[in-house]
Amino acid sequence: MKQPSTSLTASGNALALAIANPGALGTIDAYISAVNRLPVLSAERETELGRQLRDQEDLGAARELILSHLRLVVSVARQYLGYGLPHADLIQEGNVGLMKAVKRFDPERGVRLVSFAVHWIKAEIHEYIIRNWRLVKVATTKAQRKLFFNLRSMRPDGQTLDPEQVDHIARELNVRHEDVSEMEVRMSGRDMSLENQDDDDDGYAPIAYLSDEGRQEPTRVLERVARDRLQSSGLTGALDALDARSRRIVEARWLQDDGGATLHELAQEFGVSAERIRQIEAAALKKMRGNLAS
């Protein structure tokens, strides 16, 4: 079996670990320089290695195919530097795509690995950019992904699109006008920290004015639901458990809009002392608390 070239083997020893981490050689420039020194495979050698990998699962053949195409990943990753993500991270994700392409490469199809791999490399880089460009994912549907990776170059000078330009982009990319406008808004925004990022404790961070203390916090919502339930069906059930006199006393004392009756007024109504009314009231409230708790 034909052995890999001496140049490829020597360089590969240093680059084998760097495939997963382009910064392992010290700097990204050192990595790119080392990648560009690797020889390009001939079509015959590429076919031979592809057959060895397919038929014999030869990891050495896979390694040689990968190393010889690392320059392709660097070239593709450079096209996505405008998204503000580290070049080394883009290359790292592209290398993952290259490995997937090599694993699926069929030399009998008559297509060079470079043409086959570029689609896998771009797919991995696209996925990485969408995951990391914003804290909130900006593109999930096929139309949104298409717009995300094309709108920047199609928007003149980064200016806001007018209706005519929106119509042109929608026709070119075969998407809805609404999708174009929505993606423009998404890409024009930026992440904002809820907490104060400055050392100044007096800073007014969004967390101070975006929180809704009264309605949306989960524990408060549950408390409000429980309170509403007690005030409606729970209270009705607790009153139904009382005898007629006890219920009359509780309703007269606590459920009147005009402030409720006094102990003496109820004592005259029932012909007992005010102290007796107080005792009946206390016993009724205790019974109601027990019913509500259960």
Side-chain angles (χ1 to χ4, degrees):
M1 181 174 65
K2 185 176 179 180
Q3 298 297 320
S5 65
T6 304
S7 174
L8 181 60
T9 302
S11 301
N13 290 335
L15 283 173
L17 294 178
I19 290 177
N21 182 11
L25 293 181
T27 66
I28 187 64
D29 292 334
Y31 174 84
I32 293 174
S33 176
V35 163
N36 289 332
R37 290 196 299 269
L38 293 172
V40 178
L41 297 177
S42 65
E44 294 77 13
R45 178 60 176 162
E46 184 177 288
T47 301
E48 178 185 353
L49 292 171
R51 288 170 178 166
Q52 291 176 15
L53 176 60
R54 181 195 62 192
D55 301 334
Q56 305 170 24
E57 297 185 357
D58 187 345
L59 295 182
R63 179 173 177 271
E64 189 170 348
L65 287 170
I66 292 171
L67 292 176
S68 64
H69 286 81
L70 290 178
R71 69 179 69 209
L72 171 63
V73 177
V74 172
S75 176
V76 174
R78 190 176 291 117
Q79 302 171 20
Y80 297 93
L81 290 177
Y83 291 95
L85 296 171
H87 194 188
D89 290 349
L90 294 171
I91 293 175
Q92 178 175 325
E93 295 299 320
N95 286 342
V96 174
L98 174 61
M99 294 177 196
K100 291 181 178 180
V102 167
K103 181 179 180 180
R104 294 164 175 80
F105 178 56
D106 185 354
E108 308 305 334
R109 291 184 177 272
V111 178
R112 293 296 299 269
L113 178 58
V114 62
S115 300
F116 178 70
V118 69
H119 301 288
W120 287 89
I121 294 169
K122 286 184 176 181
E124 290 296 323
I125 293 178
H126 285 184
E127 191 63 33
Y128 167 75
I129 292 174
I130 289 175
R131 287 198 315 267
N132 295 276
W133 190 68
R134 288 284 189 269
L135 289 176
V136 177
K137 202 169 185 179
V138 295
T140 55
T141 67
K142 183 178 180 180
Q144 289 173 347
R145 287 171 175 261
K146 188 188 299 185
L147 281 165
F148 180 81
F149 289 106
N150 289 278
L151 188 58
R152 185 188 300 271
S153 60
M154 299 179 72
R155 185 167 52 182
D157 301 325
Q159 300 298 319
T160 302
L161 298 175
D162 58 38
E164 184 178 344
Q165 292 169 335
V166 170
D167 183 66
H168 171 71
I169 293 175
R171 288 198 311 269
E172 287 290 319
L173 299 180
N174 192 28
V175 297
R176 300 181 306 166
H177 294 73
E178 296 83 359
D179 292 334
V180 178
S181 299
E182 181 182 356
M183 184 54 64
E184 182 187 20
V185 172
R186 291 189 181 191
M187 296 183 69
S188 298
R190 62 184 181 87
D191 291 334
M192 179 181 293
S193 175
L194 290 176
E195 302 289 349
N196 188 9
Q197 298 299 302
D198 301 326
D199 294 333
D200 183 11
D201 293 335
D202 296 330
Y204 198 54
I207 193 67
Y209 57 82
L210 290 180
S211 60
D212 187 347
E213 297 292 339
R215 300 185 62 82
Q216 299 304 325
E217 202 277 323
T219 57
R220 294 181 181 273
V221 171
L222 292 175
E223 290 173 357
R224 187 173 65 254
V225 171
R227 183 176 65 252
D228 292 344
R229 185 170 59 248
L230 287 177
Q231 291 177 346
S232 55
S233 60
L235 183 58
T236 301
L239 287 171
D240 290 341
L242 300 177
D243 60 78
R245 184 175 63 172
S246 297
R247 177 166 182 163
R248 165 62 184 153
I249 292 173
V250 170
E251 288 178 341
R253 290 275 291 159
W254 300 100
L255 300 179
Q256 301 300 315
D257 295 333
D258 57 0
T262 65
L263 293 176
H264 292 285
E265 291 172 343
L266 291 171
Q268 291 179 359
E269 178 180 341
F270 289 101
V272 296
S273 66
E275 175 60 22
R276 179 57 183 156
I277 295 297
R278 188 196 65 77
Q279 293 174 352
I280 296 172
E281 177 189 36
L285 292 176
K286 181 178 180 181
K287 184 175 183 179
M288 288 180 65
R289 283 194 292 269
N291 289 333
L292 290 173
S294 61

